[in-house]
């Protein structure tokens, strides 16, 4: 209950922002928030003082900067009404203009804290599929209010970010290879030949589907840059001395 109390204080900015509950009632001010905490502790399915279970879930429903905050709030309200019927919850809108936090987020978002045990005694036990359904439910509510919204799972977003990072690395490697090839055109014949073989190897590695191959291409580029000149074998240097 201590964690829930701290959460309700935080999302309401210690009573400065309006909390809306599952019945549509508005809670504003420290005393009203204190009454809400007592209601969560003792009402419905009471929360034991020594509880070791997760007694509430905290969701953040966020949209890009230029989205109308009131539409985000309405969509969050509709989503909560549909998804958490029979549960106690607290809903608070945060905007850049109204949030008293000294460093407010520029993205309009709604904090939604839901009591884990419903009035019928059934407990929430969200899995990955449930989290995705929640995302889709919020996106659907946004579309109903005129905002085009789609959703992807966290794993898809993470994979996409990894692809962008790897794509950037591959592009950087290729750019370095082209730049180095241009610089090597004025090298003496033997050194140019050696560098040509390096270029072929690095191109092949950079185009590979295997991450370790592409990483080896990056390492080769760094190796050559670190030397500051075309690498030569001991045998090549011996031949040069003989000449």
């Amino acid at each position: 209950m201590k964690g829930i109390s701290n959460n309700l204080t935080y999302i309401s900015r210690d009573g400065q922002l309006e909390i809306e509950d599952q019945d549509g009632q508005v809670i504003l001010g420290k005393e009203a928030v204190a009454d809400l905490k007592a209601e969560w502790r003792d009402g419905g399915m009471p929360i034991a003082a020594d509880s070791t279970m997760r007694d509430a879930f905290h969701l953040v429903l966020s949209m890009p900067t230029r989205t109308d905050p009131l539409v985000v709030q309405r969509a969050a309200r509709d989503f909560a009404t549909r998804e958490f019927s029979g549960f106690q919850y607290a809903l608070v809108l945060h905007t850049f203009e109204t949030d008293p936090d000294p460093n407010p987020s520029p993205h309009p978002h709604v904090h939604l804290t839901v009591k884990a045990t419903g009035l019928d005694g059934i407990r929430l036990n969200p899995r990955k599929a449930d989290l995705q359904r929640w995302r889709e439910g919020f996106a659907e509510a946004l579309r109903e209010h005129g905002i085009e919204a789609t959703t992807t799972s966290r794993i898809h977003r993470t994979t996409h970010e990894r692809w962008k990072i790897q794509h950037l690395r591959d592009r950087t490697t290729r750019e370095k290879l082209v730049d180095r090839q241009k610089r090597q055109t004025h090298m003496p014949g033997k050194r140019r030949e050696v560098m040509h073989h390096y270029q072929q190897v690095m191109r092949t590695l950079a185009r590979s589907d295997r991450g370790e191959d592409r990483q080896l291409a990056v390492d080769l580029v760094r190796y050559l840059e670190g030397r500051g000149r075309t690498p030569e074998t001991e045998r090549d240097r011996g031949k040069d001395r003989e000449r």
Side-chain angles (χ1 to χ4, degrees):
M1 190 60 215
K2 181 179 179 180
I4 295 174
S5 175
N6 291 338
N7 176 267
L8 294 175
T9 297
Y10 166 73
I11 65 175
S12 70
R13 294 294 189 254
D14 201 17
Q16 296 181 68
L17 297 179
E18 292 183 351
I19 294 179
E20 184 177 324
D21 70 7
Q22 68 282 347
D23 299 320
Q25 297 181 347
V26 175
I27 296 96
L28 181 63
K30 287 187 177 182
E31 292 185 3
V33 173
D35 290 341
L36 179 64
K37 294 175 182 179
E39 182 181 341
W40 274 49
R41 183 188 63 225
D42 303 324
M45 298 298 293
I47 298 175
D50 57 350
S51 172
T52 58
M53 297 186 295
R54 182 183 293 276
D55 293 303
F57 292 91
H58 180 206
L59 289 72
V60 180
L61 308 173
S62 179
M63 286 297 288
T65 304
R66 297 181 181 179
T67 310
D68 185 344
L70 293 180
V71 175
V72 176
Q73 183 183 42
R74 295 187 194 109
R77 182 186 298 124
D78 291 348
F79 161 72
T81 300
R82 288 195 289 252
E83 186 65 42
F84 301 112
S85 176
F87 289 84
Q88 292 175 277
Y89 59 78
L91 182 152
V92 182
L93 172 66
H94 284 195
T95 69
F96 186 82
E97 293 79 10
T98 62
D99 192 343
D101 189 284
N103 297 300
S105 169
H107 303 285
H109 58 279
V110 169
H111 289 271
L112 176 60
T113 300
V114 185
K115 193 172 181 180
T117 304
L119 299 177
D120 56 3
I122 297 177
R123 285 182 55 85
L124 289 172
N125 185 29
R127 304 298 184 184
K128 288 183 180 180
D130 299 308
L131 299 180
Q132 180 62 15
R133 189 185 72 253
W134 292 353
R135 295 188 188 100
E136 293 171 353
F138 179 51
E140 180 181 358
L142 286 166
R143 290 193 294 270
E144 290 172 356
H145 287 275
I147 295 181
E148 289 299 322
T150 58
T151 181
T152 55
S153 67
R154 182 183 295 268
I155 184 63
H156 290 157
R157 293 196 302 273
T158 302
T159 301
H160 180 63
E161 291 300 319
R162 288 176 178 171
W163 179 87
K164 288 197 297 185
I165 292 171
Q166 186 60 57
H167 178 70
L168 178 60
R169 287 176 178 171
D170 293 346
R171 186 179 63 183
T172 302
T173 301
R174 289 194 297 270
E175 289 173 351
K176 288 182 177 180
L177 290 176
V178 172
D179 183 60
R180 179 165 290 278
Q181 184 179 33
K182 291 179 180 179
R183 294 200 305 268
Q184 300 304 327
T185 55
H186 301 293
M187 285 184 174
K190 184 62 179 179
R191 297 176 66 189
R192 191 182 307 164
E193 180 183 350
V194 173
M195 195 60 213
H196 175 71
H197 292 304
Y198 267 99
Q199 299 287 358
Q200 288 182 320
V201 171
M202 287 187 287
R203 285 196 193 93
T204 302
L205 291 172
R207 290 194 296 264
S208 172
D209 293 332
R210 299 180 60 184
E212 55 265 35
D213 290 343
R214 295 193 296 270
Q215 183 59 49
L216 181 55
V218 174
D219 294 340
L220 280 171
V221 171
R222 291 174 179 169
Y223 166 77
L224 295 175
E225 289 182 339
R227 292 179 66 94
R229 59 186 177 85
T230 303
E232 299 173 320
T233 64
E234 291 294 331
R235 185 174 61 181
D236 291 333
R237 286 195 291 270
K239 289 181 179 180
D240 290 340
R241 285 195 295 271
E242 290 174 1
R243 295 191 188 97

